[in-house]
Amino acid sequence: PRRVQGRIALVGDAAGYVTKCSGEGIYFAAKSGRMAAEEIVALMKGGSRLPTQAEIEDTYCKKYDGLYGPTYTVLDILQKVFYTNNGAREAFVELCNSKYVQQVTFDSYLYKRVQGNNPLDDIKLLGETIGCMVKGYSTAKPDAEFSNPVESLKRI
């Protein structure tokens, strides 16, 4: 969504700040609301002026994206890779056995930023991911075809 229009800044769910994998958004709603308010108050210089759209985008949006953009990117990639079919989901479940994956996941969830950054372990994880994907695709049952035209017509 457009996060700033004129002097109106969207925060939280309205700004699209929900993590795709977990649906979590409370932390990001509170954090973005505070960041937007702090930046707008600073731009107003004691109430002597109103900020422009460009100024809000250059402060609030830029700072928020700098802090949390990588987190959203990683979660988007995870969703696209692992949430697409049974084989990919099986691979994801197998990867979750890794202590490194568990630690990185816990730390990332706790600190709300992508954690890890151990290059050797990250390379090992890439190899494990490829191996799990091959195994998952070769052993998982194909996704069942799902169709419910009666229910679909009710929603139109």
Side-chain angles (χ1 to χ4, degrees), residues 52-68:
T52 66
Q53 178 174 331
E55 289 173 323
I56 297 170
E57 290 170 339
D58 288 342
T59 55
Y60 155 59
C61 292
K62 196 172 192 175
K63 286 183 180 180
Y64 189 90
D65 291 347
L67 282 173
Y68 302 107

Side-chain angles (χ1 to χ4, degrees), residues 1-3 10-20 28 64 72:
R2 176 177 277 170
R3 297 179 290 172
L10 298 179
V11 299
D13 292 4
Y17 298 149
V18 177
T19 59
K20 291 184 177 187
F28 298 105
Y64 189 90
Y72 287 101

